């Protein structure tokens, strides 16, 4: 067996970034990976504007004077343009509205009193008060989006703010999936004795959809070498990456490993991780192959730890490693294991602050623990944990998206 770190490094070294690109509208760009950096063609804002509702003035009109009164000669709303502001005059102005020529400060309306055509105020005024200068956020020509960025809502808003209607992104990664096992039944069907519903199919679909992949779902494959070989061949011919669940152990009915070795090559098998030891990586023709364990928790955990970063790297994302937050343990873990363990955990707030609790059942078959949890706690090889000791916590908010 190889370590978690060795396995991840091995897989990432073989993650070939896609070269094909496509142009998409901003409405279709969420979750996609930017293929080309983007620079702003404009200053943002394109003009000095007011950051508050109030009155635009020349600051010099108020310097060294108490109880300043100025005549209000114009009203400027957002989207409107004022005219030159002479000395001794003020302009009623609203948040986001352009500063009229000649004005260099805005007095907020809470510091003013309007009396007919006059406004008087007593707060100190200095040039630049409550004014957003031109280019305060973005200067024309500056890079606003970096290639390899996975586009979130805020990146889409930023692109829109500089007038970009379309973005060049990496094409969707085609990922073929299937589950191995005669015991698997489709939800909605009658469950015979000895059978189980195929939960992994929907777990993998959800995980891949969250990563923006194009899914080729081959469903369930029967437990035979011929059927497994045929399914792998079909998957490899249609997809960039093939991900399977189940059939990776050494039992008489575990055919995936043998089938991969027959029509491709297996380059990595078995990792010192719990749950998920039978994880495998290989190649079938030009497609990558990743074999996940069949137990439902093992499928989820190994996807989060290995498949997610691999698929992101294939899409050109440079930073793919999840970041752990050190959190005091609210549990005791007296077992020093030989494999790195990932426990289903959740954060809880108490009188002493935030701590990490673990689900009482940590078996790889206990799928309810993944719903109860909001993340994973990592227990390194040979380590025990006492209450209050910091442990690395990985949030599902990061691991699943």
């Amino acid at each position: 067996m190889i370590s978690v770190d060795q396995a991840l490094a091995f897989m990432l070294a073989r993650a070939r970034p896609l070269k094909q690109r496509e142009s998409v509208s901003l409405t279709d760009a969420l979750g996609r990976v930017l293929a080309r950096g983007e620079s702003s063609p404009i200053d943002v804002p394109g003009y000095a504007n007011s950051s508050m509702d109030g009155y635009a003035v020349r600051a010099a009109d108020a310097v060294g004077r108490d109880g300043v009164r100025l005549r209000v000669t114009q009203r400027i709303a957002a989207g409107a343009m004022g005219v030159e502001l002479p000395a001794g005059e003020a302009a009623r102005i609203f948040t986001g509205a352009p500063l009229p020529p000649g004005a260099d400060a805005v007095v907020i309306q809470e510091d003013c009193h309007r009396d007919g055509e006059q406004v008087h105020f007593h707060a100190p005024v200095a040039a630049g008060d409550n004014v957003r200068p031109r280019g305060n956020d973005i200067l024309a020509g500056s890079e606003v989006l970096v290639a390899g960025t996975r586009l979130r809502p805020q990146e889409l808003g930023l692109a829109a703010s500089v007038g970009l209607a379309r973005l060049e992104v990496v094409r969707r990664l085609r990922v073929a999936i299937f589950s191995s096992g005669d015991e698997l039944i489709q939800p909605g069907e009658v469950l015979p004795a000895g059978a189980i519903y195929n939960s992994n199919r929907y777990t993998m679909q959800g995980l891949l959809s969250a990563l923006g992949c194009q899914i080729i779902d081959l469903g369930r494959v029967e437990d035979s070498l011929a059927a497994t070989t045929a399914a792998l061949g079909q998957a490899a011919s249609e997809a960039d990456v093939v991900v399977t669940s189940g059939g990776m152990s050494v039992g008489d009915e575990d055919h995936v490993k043998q089938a991969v070795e027959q029509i491709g090559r297996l380059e990595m098998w078995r990792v010192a991780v719990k749950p998920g030891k039978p994880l495998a990586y290989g190649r079938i023709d030009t497609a990558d192959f990743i074999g996940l364990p069949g137990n439902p928790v093992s499928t989820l955990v190994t996807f989060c730890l290995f498949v997610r970063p691999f698929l992101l790297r294939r899409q050109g994302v440079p930073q793919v490693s999840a970041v752990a937050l050190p959190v005091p343990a609210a549990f005791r873990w007296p077992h020093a294991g030989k494999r790195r363990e990932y426990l289903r955990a959740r954060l809880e707030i108490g009188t002493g602050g935030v701590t990490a609790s673990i689900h009482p059942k940590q078996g790889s078959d206990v799928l309810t623990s993944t719903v109860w949890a909001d993340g994973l706690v990592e227990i390194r090889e040979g380590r025990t944990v006492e209450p209050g000791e910091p442990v690395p916590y990985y949030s599902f908010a990061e691991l699943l998206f």
Side-chain angles (χ1 to χ4, degrees):
M1 288 189 293
I2 64 175
S3 72
V4 169
D5 297 332
Q6 290 171 329
L8 183 57
F10 183 92
M11 292 176 63
L12 291 181
R14 287 154 180 78
R16 301 147 293 151
L18 291 172
K19 301 298 184 185
Q20 299 90 342
R21 306 173 173 188
E22 59 183 350
S23 174
V24 298
S25 68
L26 293 186
T27 54
D28 295 323
L30 183 64
R32 304 296 295 273
V33 176
L34 195 67
R36 182 188 67 192
E38 297 284 356
S39 297
S40 176
I42 60 172
D43 291 330
V44 179
Y47 44 82
N49 68 86
S50 177
S51 64
M52 303 288 285
D53 291 346
Y55 292 86
V57 299
R58 293 173 178 263
D61 286 342
V63 173
R65 298 169 59 190
D66 292 326
V68 175
R69 291 175 177 267
L70 299 175
R71 189 162 66 93
V72 180
T73 57
Q74 36 183 322
R75 181 181 186 277
I76 311 170
M81 293 297 295
V83 297
E84 180 81 25
L85 186 71
E89 294 184 2
R92 178 69 167 126
I93 197 166
F94 297 90
T95 304
L99 226 62
D104 58 7
V106 172
V107 183
I108 62 174
Q109 62 186 24
E110 291 84 352
D111 292 335
C112 302
H113 177 70
R114 181 75 178 265
D115 183 12
E117 294 185 354
Q118 299 238 325
V119 60
H120 51 94
F121 53 92
H122 303 279
V125 181
D129 283 356
N130 305 306
V131 174
R132 301 170 180 147
R134 176 173 181 148
N136 183 57
D137 186 11
I138 302 166
L139 294 174
S142 61
E143 187 175 47
V144 290
L145 294 172
V146 179
T149 298
R150 195 161 168 231
L151 297 167
R152 303 168 296 173
Q154 51 265 53
E155 277 87 22
L156 302 186
L158 181 58
S161 76
V162 299
L164 300 176
R166 303 185 68 83
L167 294 172
E168 192 169 301
V169 298
V170 178
R171 75 153 169 84
R172 291 189 186 276
L173 192 68
R174 296 186 293 266
V175 181
I177 62 172
F178 68 79
S179 303
S180 176
D182 289 342
E183 75 279 12
L184 300 177
I185 299 297
Q186 183 72 0
E189 298 179 359
V190 176
L191 190 67
I196 59 173
Y197 288 119
N198 187 357
S199 62
N200 285 347
R201 180 181 188 182
Y202 298 94
T203 298
M204 290 195 296
Q205 283 182 356
L207 290 164
L208 292 169
S209 293
L211 293 176
C213 297
Q214 178 184 336
I215 303 170
I216 303 168
D217 185 2
L218 301 182
R220 177 187 69 86
V221 174
E222 67 180 63
D223 281 329
S224 74
L225 180 59
T228 304
T229 303
L232 284 171
Q234 178 187 347
S237 69
E238 299 178 10
D240 304 300
V241 182
V242 179
V243 181
T244 65
S245 66
M248 285 308 305
S249 295
V250 292
D252 292 342
E253 299 301 322
D254 293 315
H255 301 289
V256 176
K257 178 177 178 291
Q258 184 180 354
V260 172
E261 293 174 322
Q262 192 172 99
I263 63 172
R265 64 181 186 273
L266 200 63
E267 300 181 5
M268 184 192 83
W269 180 53
R270 303 182 75 195
V271 178
V273 63
K274 185 177 181 180
K277 181 174 68 173
L279 177 75
Y281 170 82
R283 293 282 293 277
I284 303 171
D285 294 326
T286 60
D288 296 289
F289 165 78
I290 303 175
L292 304 181
N295 279 317
V297 176
S298 301
T299 295
L300 177 67
V301 170
T302 51
F303 190 102
C304 291
L305 298 179
F306 303 100
V307 183
R308 175 187 176 274
F310 180 85
L311 298 182
L312 290 176
R313 181 61 57 81
R314 284 225 58 189
Q315 294 177 76
V317 178
Q319 176 55 45
V320 297
S321 298
V323 178
L325 177 70
V327 178
F331 61 91
R332 174 175 284 105
W333 191 259
H335 323 289
K338 295 181 179 180
R339 291 182 282 164
R340 191 172 302 181
E341 299 194 45
Y342 290 88
L343 312 178
R344 275 75 72 206
R346 71 181 180 191
L347 300 183
E348 297 182 341
I349 302 176
T351 55
V354 177
T355 58
S357 297
I358 60 172
H359 194 272
K361 295 182 179 180
Q362 290 291 328
S364 58
D365 62 319
V366 185
L367 193 56
T368 52
S369 67
T370 66
V371 175
W372 174 91
D374 53 27
L376 301 174
V377 158
E378 179 184 76
I379 309 293
R380 292 262 172 166
E381 301 89 329
R383 287 286 310 277
T384 59
V385 175
E386 293 297 323
E389 184 179 346
V391 290
Y393 166 82
Y394 294 89
S395 171
F396 278 150
E398 181 176 5
L399 290 175
L400 302 182
F401 300 100

